[in-house]
Amino acid sequence: RATMKSLRFLSAEALVSNAELARKSLGSVAHNLFPLLFKASYLLEQGEVIHDLVENWPFVDFNVGKLLGITVDYQEDLSHRTCSVCLESCLTGLRDYVLNHSSPYLKRLKVVDLTGIKDVEVQVCECKKTMGRWARTQLLSKLCLELLVDLQQRQCDPGITGISIDVRIDLFVTERNYELVMQALLKKCYCPLKICCVAFRSDNLALQKFFYIIKLIDPSSLRKLEVVHNVRLEMEHLEMLFNSIHFPLLMSLTLPARTFNVQRFTATDEQMLTNIGEKMGEMTQLTELSMSFSILTGRIQKLLSPLKTPLKMLDVSNCSLNHADMAYLANSFHASHLEALDLSGHNIPDLYPSIFFKLLSHSSPVLRSLTLEDCNIQDTHVNMLIVSLSPCHKLQEFRFIGNPLSSQALKYLFTFLCELPMLKNVEFPVPKDCYPTGIAYPIDDASLCRFDHQKYESVAEELNLILLQANREDVKTSTPLFGSYDAAVQETKNELGAYLINSFKETLEKFTSSLNQ
């Protein structure tokens, strides 16, 4: 459905659609029209106009998320458009804002905020070229270094001296852009554009480099820290990190797989885990924690009980939790505050059905997102699942792929899901009867796509018909066989793939060498 545009916005579109005329007219445009022209230019992908608007920005702050968000003149939110043409024009315009020769008294800009940009799977911009978080990190770092070279050639330029602009950004660093970002951060004090890291994601990076760069980003202002996949951060490294660096404003923490493994714990490791819990307890803003694919059997209480602020998001997928862990979660003060919960990889129906019911009943007033992938939920458990979900009236997302459910059970479940008023997104499994008889769960990657696609499409149509008949066409359904879309992984998949191939090659070489010896 088309979003209504005000007459002002239509006029702005008409002006910026003629890029040459718009650029010539900027000098005579009232300052209060700049935000309107910026959003209109972004919608029409007029890169040159965007560049000139930013280069001559008349205000103290430039917040991309707010400028592209819902506004009075045009209520469509454009902040999910990571259009490469538009974002590159924004950043080069920012560089040229510093370099242009207008009077220093006209340069009021102090804060640029790029954190409101949302990376999504489907892009509607015409150029179809996106600039993800990694690429934004790369380009901003490159422009900062280029700016320093330009400044050296223009020594003592009165139009530049004294300019200091904080650029708030979510950084994403891997081995491939590490050197560039590190250099930009090292020289931050000399550059008029000051990179201010609000959220930091690290992947495919040597541990030594991670520890070095984390100190350069000013951890005291960091709100979100994601250490994922190919950063080999184990428990002793995490304790070292927390002992050497303080994160007073940290709200969200994601740790890589296998950070914890209680199967090989010694008395020293137990003390280390206690220390980590206490350090997390000092992070009074921490409300989101992800520790997937660690082995934490029987240790959840030790890790979470020191926290003084209740968690709003908890991901303990594939963490081998036992009954005591689930009982702690259900009875803890976190339970009634959980807005997002991921318990994937646990055999919930067989191991702790009553405790799971209790946990959901406590979190139901606020729970928005629930993920139960590969939890061995079968047809006989659907009634139990429905009873557990019944009080969750605020649930918006429900993901349960990888469970051995028949098409009949899915139809029954979908009939109930229609009753959840806030539900917007459902990720459901390929029905068990679409696979060959006797297939074992969890299904291995090699067999995942070997199902009757025609039958699946037929079942998916029936499920959507159930939603349609209940007037719930607002609910989106999908079956992402290899997991939900992750913008960061998608953007760096080639680098990560090359790393994995290289790691496999090294492992084979070591194995061959051992055999030869």
Side-chain angles (χ1 to χ4, degrees):
R1 193 172 62 191
T3 307
M4 289 291 289
K5 299 172 182 176
S6 71
L7 191 57
R8 270 165 44 98
F9 194 85
L10 290 168
S11 302
E13 275 190 295
L15 175 60
V16 302
S17 61
N18 185 334
E20 189 179 351
L21 176 63
R23 296 175 76 190
K24 286 178 181 176
S25 306
L26 280 186
S28 55
V29 169
H31 288 175
N32 65 339
L33 294 177
F34 270 57
L36 186 71
L37 292 171
F38 178 79
K39 190 171 183 180
S41 301
Y42 205 96
L43 179 65
L44 299 181
E45 296 175 40
Q46 293 285 32
E48 292 178 333
V49 182
I50 289 171
H51 171 279
D52 287 10
L53 284 165
V54 178
E55 184 182 3
N56 297 282
W57 198 251
F59 304 109
V60 174
D61 71 308
F62 176 72
N63 188 318
V64 176
K66 283 185 179 178
L67 290 165
L68 297 179
I70 296 170
T71 52
V72 175
D73 292 293
Y74 184 47
Q75 296 202 347
E76 185 172 341
D77 186 348
L78 303 180
S79 61
H80 58 276
R81 293 196 184 191
T82 55
C83 172
S84 183
V85 170
C86 296
L87 290 173
E88 185 169 348
S89 299
C90 279
L91 290 172
T92 54
L94 184 59
R95 175 201 61 197
D96 295 339
Y97 175 94
V98 175
L99 294 174
N100 76 17
H101 289 282
S102 63
S103 164
Y105 300 107
L106 297 177
K107 294 189 176 182
R108 303 173 58 209
L109 188 59
K110 295 294 179 190
V111 179
V112 172
D113 196 328
L114 303 173
T115 61
I117 301 167
K118 305 179 187 81
D119 296 292
V120 296
E121 184 172 6
V122 180
Q123 285 294 326
V124 293
C125 61
E126 285 188 20
C127 76
K128 301 298 179 188
K129 293 180 181 177
T130 62
M131 183 181 286
R133 182 173 168 183
W134 187 92
R136 296 193 294 272
T137 299
Q138 170 97 345
L139 182 58
L140 179 61
S141 302
K142 178 172 172 281
L143 291 175
C144 284
L145 293 172
E146 286 177 0
L147 190 54
L148 285 171
V149 173
D150 286 332
L151 293 179
Q152 282 181 331
Q153 295 169 355
R154 302 186 186 194
Q155 289 179 349
C156 302
D157 188 330
I160 297 174
T161 307
I163 294 177
S164 179
I165 302 168
D166 289 341
V167 185
R168 293 165 56 84
I169 186 171
D170 299 337
L171 293 179
F172 183 9
V173 178
T174 65
E175 190 72 41
R176 197 154 55 98
N177 69 352
Y178 168 80
E179 197 66 34
L180 191 72
V181 181
M182 184 263 293
Q183 288 295 332
L185 290 170
L186 273 174
K187 296 170 182 175
K188 172 181 171 178
C189 59
Y190 306 109
C191 186
L193 299 179
K194 313 288 185 188
I195 296 176
C196 297
C197 181
V198 177
F200 182 79
R201 180 184 176 97
S202 175
D203 194 353
N204 190 32
L205 194 64
L207 207 53
Q208 187 177 1
K209 291 179 178 178
F210 166 74
F211 269 90
Y212 185 66
I213 202 163
I214 199 76
K215 292 178 181 177
L216 293 180
I217 62 170
D218 186 13
S220 64
S221 59
L222 197 66
R223 298 298 179 98
K224 185 172 185 176
L225 176 60
E226 296 171 278
V227 190
V228 296
H229 305 123
N230 299 317
V231 181
R232 295 177 180 174
L233 187 80
E234 297 185 2
M235 190 171 65
E236 57 267 33
H237 309 127
L238 184 62
E239 185 190 34
M240 196 188 308
L241 178 70
F242 287 167
N243 283 338
S244 59
I245 299 174
H246 295 287
F247 301 93
L249 299 181
L250 196 69
M251 300 171 69
S252 179
L253 175 64
T254 298
L255 298 172
R258 297 181 295 279
T259 299
F260 304 100
N261 185 357
V262 303
Q263 290 179 336
R264 50 193 174 104
F265 262 27
T266 63
T268 305
D269 293 324
E270 293 288 357
Q271 185 57 50
M272 204 180 290
L273 189 70
T274 302
N275 294 344
I276 289 169
E278 289 172 355
K279 286 293 180 183
M280 290 201 301
E282 294 172 10
M283 301 173 192
T284 56
Q285 306 291 314
L286 189 66
T287 57
E288 298 181 358
L289 183 59
S290 176
M291 308 179 288
S292 59
F293 289 93
S294 278
I295 299 176
L296 282 164
T297 314
R299 304 305 197 285
I300 283 292
Q301 183 169 359
K302 182 176 278 193
L303 202 54
L304 300 188
S305 59
L307 299 185
K308 298 174 182 66
T309 308
L311 291 171
K312 292 182 180 179
M313 189 283 280
L314 178 63
D315 179 354
V316 282
S317 55
N318 300 283
C319 283
S320 304
L321 302 189
N322 62 16
H323 191 276
D325 294 316
M326 287 295 287
Y328 166 74
L329 286 178
N331 295 305
S332 70
F333 78 131
H334 301 292
S336 58
H337 294 84
L338 285 172
E339 296 177 13
L341 177 63
D342 191 339
L343 293 171
S344 299
H346 294 100
N347 191 340
I348 288 170
D350 290 344
L351 296 180
Y352 19 64
S354 58
I355 292 293
F356 172 70
F357 175 78
K358 186 176 183 180
L359 175 58
L360 280 201
S361 66
H362 285 170
S363 60
S364 60
V366 293
L367 190 66
R368 292 183 295 102
S369 175
L370 178 64
T371 307
L372 302 173
E373 298 175 2
D374 298 312
C375 284
N376 195 33
I377 299 170
Q378 302 178 35
D379 289 15
T380 53
H381 307 132
V382 169
N383 279 325
M384 176 210 78
L385 183 62
I386 288 173
V387 171
S388 300
L389 290 173
S390 291
C392 301
H393 297 301
K394 291 193 176 178
L395 195 67
Q396 296 175 19
E397 297 179 332
F398 181 40
R399 301 181 178 94
F400 60 108
I401 61 172
N403 288 292
L405 291 165
S406 69
S407 51
Q408 203 59 42
L410 285 171
K411 291 172 197 174
Y412 182 50
L413 181 57
F414 264 64
T415 303
F416 158 74
L417 292 177
C418 293
E419 299 172 17
L420 295 176
M422 306 290 286
L423 196 64
K424 291 285 179 284
N425 183 38
V426 177
E427 292 181 4
F428 66 94
V430 172
K432 188 177 182 180
D433 41 302
C434 290
Y435 281 104
T437 306
I439 192 162
Y441 281 79
I443 302 171
D444 59 72
D445 287 354
S447 306
L448 211 51
C449 296
R450 294 176 185 167
F451 59 90
D452 186 332
H453 289 256
Q454 192 173 353
K455 186 175 181 180
Y456 164 78
E457 292 297 338
S458 174
V459 174
E461 277 183 31
E462 289 183 64
L463 296 176
N464 281 315
L465 185 61
I466 291 171
L467 294 171
L468 192 64
Q469 289 172 340
N471 293 319
R472 293 303 309 272
E473 52 266 65
D474 58 318
V475 179
K476 292 181 180 177
T477 62
S478 62
T479 304
L481 290 175
F482 297 98
S484 301
Y485 177 77
D486 185 321
V489 170
Q490 189 67 22
E491 188 181 12
T492 55
K493 63 183 178 183
N494 292 338
E495 180 183 352
L496 300 185
Y499 171 84
L500 290 172
I501 290 169
N502 195 49
S503 296
F504 183 60
K505 182 185 170 196
E506 287 176 4
T507 304
L508 281 178
E509 285 172 353
K510 287 177 184 176
F511 180 66
T512 306
S513 176
S514 298
L515 284 177
N516 289 338
Q517 287 173 8

